Coordinates of all heavy atoms in Angstrom, one line a residue:
L292 N 9.9 31.5 13.7 CA 10.3 32.1 12.4 C 11.2 33.3 12.7 O 10.8 34.3 13.1 CB 9.0 32.5 11.7 CG 7.9 31.4 11.5 CD1 6.8 32.0 10.8 CD2 8.6 30.3 10.7
A296 N 16.0 37.7 7.2 CA 15.1 38.0 6.1 C 13.9 38.9 6.7 O 13.4 39.7 6.0 CB 14.5 36.7 5.6
D297 N 13.6 38.7 7.9 CA 12.4 39.5 8.5 C 12.9 40.5 9.5 O 12.2 41.0 10.3 CB 11.4 38.6 9.1 CG 11.8 37.7 10.2 OD1 13.1 37.8 10.5 OD2 11.1 36.9 10.7
L298 N 14.2 40.8 9.5 CA 14.9 41.8 10.4 C 15.7 42.8 9.5 O 16.9 42.6 9.4 CB 15.7 41.1 11.4 CG 14.9 40.2 12.4 CD1 15.9 39.5 13.4 CD2 14.0 41.2 13.3
P299 N 15.1 43.8 8.9 CA 15.8 44.7 8.0 C 16.7 45.7 8.7 O 17.5 46.4 8.2 CB 14.7 45.4 7.3 CG 13.5 45.4 8.3 CD 13.6 44.2 9.1
V624 N 8.8 36.7 23.1 CA 8.2 37.7 22.3 C 9.0 37.8 20.9 O 8.4 37.7 19.8 CB 7.9 39.0 22.9 CG1 7.3 40.0 21.8 CG2 7.1 38.9 24.1
A625 N 10.3 38.1 21.1 CA 11.1 38.3 19.8 C 11.2 37.0 19.0 O 11.1 37.2 17.7 CB 12.5 38.7 20.3
Y627 N 9.3 34.1 19.1 CA 8.2 33.2 18.8 C 6.9 34.0 18.4 O 5.9 33.4 18.2 CB 7.8 32.4 20.0 CG 8.9 31.3 20.3 CD1 9.6 31.3 21.5 CD2 9.2 30.3 19.4 CE1 10.6 30.4 21.8 CE2 10.2 29.3 19.7 CZ 10.8 29.4 20.9 OH 11.8 28.4 21.2
L628 N 7.0 35.4 18.3 CA 5.8 36.1 18.1 C 5.2 35.7 16.6 O 4.0 35.4 16.5 CB 6.1 37.6 18.0 CG 4.9 38.5 17.8 CD1 3.8 38.2 18.9 CD2 5.3 40.0 17.8
T629 N 6.1 35.7 15.7 CA 5.7 35.4 14.3 C 5.1 33.8 14.3 O 4.1 33.6 13.6 CB 6.8 35.5 13.3 OG1 7.4 36.7 13.5 CG2 6.2 35.4 11.8
F630 N 5.9 33.0 15.0 CA 5.5 31.6 15.1 C 4.1 31.5 15.6 O 3.2 30.7 15.1 CB 6.6 31.0 16.0 CG 6.4 29.4 16.2 CD1 6.5 28.6 15.0 CD2 6.3 28.8 17.4 CE1 6.4 27.3 15.1 CE2 6.3 27.5 17.6 CZ 6.3 26.7 16.4
L631 N 3.8 32.2 16.7 CA 2.5 32.0 17.4 C 1.4 32.6 16.4 O 0.3 31.8 16.1 CB 2.4 32.9 18.6 CG 1.1 32.9 19.3 CD1 0.6 31.6 19.7 CD2 1.2 33.9 20.5
V632 N 1.5 33.8 15.8 CA 0.5 34.4 15.1 C 0.2 33.6 13.7 O -1.0 33.3 13.3 CB 0.8 35.8 14.7 CG1 -0.2 36.4 13.7 CG2 0.8 36.6 16.0
E633 N 1.3 33.2 13.0 CA 1.1 32.6 11.7 C 1.0 31.0 11.7 O 0.1 30.6 11.1 CB 2.3 33.2 10.8 CG 2.2 34.7 10.6 CD 3.3 35.3 9.8 OE1 4.1 34.5 9.3 OE2 3.3 36.5 9.7
K634 N 1.9 30.4 12.4 CA 1.8 29.0 12.6 C 0.5 28.6 13.4 O -0.1 27.6 13.2 CB 2.9 28.4 13.3 CG 4.2 28.3 12.4 CD 4.1 27.4 11.3 CE 5.3 27.3 10.4 NZ 5.2 26.3 9.3
Q636 N -2.4 30.1 13.1 CA -3.5 30.1 12.2 C -3.4 28.8 11.5 O -4.5 28.2 11.2 CB -3.4 31.2 11.2 CG -3.5 32.7 11.9 CD -3.3 33.7 10.8 OE1 -4.1 33.8 9.8 NE2 -2.3 34.5 11.0
V660 N -4.1 31.4 5.8 CA -3.2 32.0 6.7 C -2.9 33.4 6.4 O -2.6 33.7 5.1 CB -1.9 31.3 6.9 CG1 -0.9 32.0 7.9 CG2 -2.2 29.8 7.4
H661 N -3.1 34.4 7.2 CA -2.8 35.8 6.9 C -1.4 36.0 7.6 O -1.2 36.0 8.8 CB -3.8 36.7 7.5 CG -5.2 36.5 6.9 ND1 -5.5 37.1 5.6 CD2 -6.2 35.9 7.3 CE1 -6.7 36.7 5.3 NE2 -7.3 36.0 6.3
Y662 N -0.4 36.4 6.8 CA 0.9 36.7 7.2 C 1.0 38.1 7.6 O 1.7 38.9 7.0 CB 1.9 36.3 6.2 CG 1.8 34.9 5.8 CD1 1.2 34.3 4.8 CD2 2.6 33.9 6.7 CE1 1.1 32.9 4.5 CE2 2.6 32.5 6.4 CZ 1.9 32.1 5.4 OH 1.8 30.7 5.1
V663 N 0.3 38.5 8.7 CA 0.2 39.8 9.2 C 1.5 40.4 9.7 O 1.7 41.7 9.6 CB -0.9 40.0 10.2 CG1 -2.3 39.7 9.6 CG2 -0.6 39.1 11.4
L664 N 2.4 39.6 10.1 CA 3.6 40.1 10.7 C 4.7 40.0 9.6 O 5.5 40.9 9.5 CB 4.1 39.3 11.9 CG 3.1 39.5 13.1 CD1 3.5 38.6 14.3 CD2 3.1 41.0 13.6
S665 N 4.8 38.9 9.0 CA 5.9 38.7 7.9 C 5.8 39.8 6.7 O 6.8 40.0 6.2 CB 5.8 37.3 7.3 OG 6.1 36.3 8.3
D666 N 4.6 40.1 6.5 CA 4.3 41.2 5.5 C 4.8 42.5 5.9 O 4.8 43.5 5.1 CB 2.9 41.2 5.0 CG 2.5 39.9 4.2 OD1 3.4 39.2 3.7 OD2 1.3 39.7 4.1
H667 N 5.1 42.7 7.1 CA 5.5 44.0 7.6 C 6.9 43.9 8.4 O 7.0 44.0 9.6 CB 4.5 44.7 8.6 CG 3.2 44.9 7.9 ND1 2.2 43.9 7.8 CD2 2.6 46.0 7.3 CE1 1.2 44.4 7.1 NE2 1.5 45.7 6.8
P668 N 7.9 43.6 7.7 CA 9.2 43.3 8.3 C 9.8 44.4 9.2 O 10.5 44.1 10.2 CB 10.2 43.0 7.0 CG 9.5 43.7 5.9 CD 8.0 43.6 6.2
T669 N 9.6 45.6 8.8 CA 10.2 46.7 9.7 C 9.5 46.7 11.0 O 10.2 46.8 12.0 CB 10.1 48.1 9.0 OG1 10.8 47.9 7.7 CG2 10.7 49.1 9.8
V670 N 8.2 46.6 11.0 CA 7.4 46.6 12.3 C 7.9 45.4 13.1 O 8.1 45.5 14.3 CB 5.9 46.6 11.9 CG1 5.1 46.4 13.3 CG2 5.5 47.9 11.2
L671 N 8.0 44.3 12.4 CA 8.3 43.0 13.1 C 9.7 43.2 13.7 O 10.0 42.8 14.9 CB 8.2 41.8 12.1 CG 8.6 40.5 12.7 CD1 7.8 40.1 13.8 CD2 8.5 39.5 11.7
A672 N 10.7 43.7 13.0 CA 12.1 43.9 13.4 C 12.1 44.8 14.6 O 12.7 44.5 15.6 CB 12.9 44.4 12.3
T674 N 9.7 45.5 16.7 CA 9.1 44.8 17.8 C 9.9 43.8 18.5 O 10.1 43.8 19.8 CB 7.8 44.1 17.3 OG1 6.9 45.0 16.8 CG2 7.1 43.4 18.5
K675 N 10.7 43.1 17.7 CA 11.6 42.1 18.2 C 12.8 42.7 19.0 O 13.1 42.3 20.2 CB 12.2 41.2 17.1 CG 11.2 40.3 16.6 CD 11.8 39.3 15.5 CE 10.7 38.2 15.1 NZ 11.4 37.2 14.2

Side-chain angles (χ1 to χ4, degrees):
L292 302 179
D297 57 5
L298 292 174
V624 174
Y627 294 115
L628 182 61
T629 314
F630 186 58
L631 174 64
V632 173
E633 298 177 1
K634 288 293 186 181
Q636 294 179 62
V660 175
H661 296 281
Y662 296 95
V663 293
L664 294 177
S665 296
D666 288 342
H667 299 86
T669 302
V670 174
L671 178 60
T674 301
K675 290 186 173 189

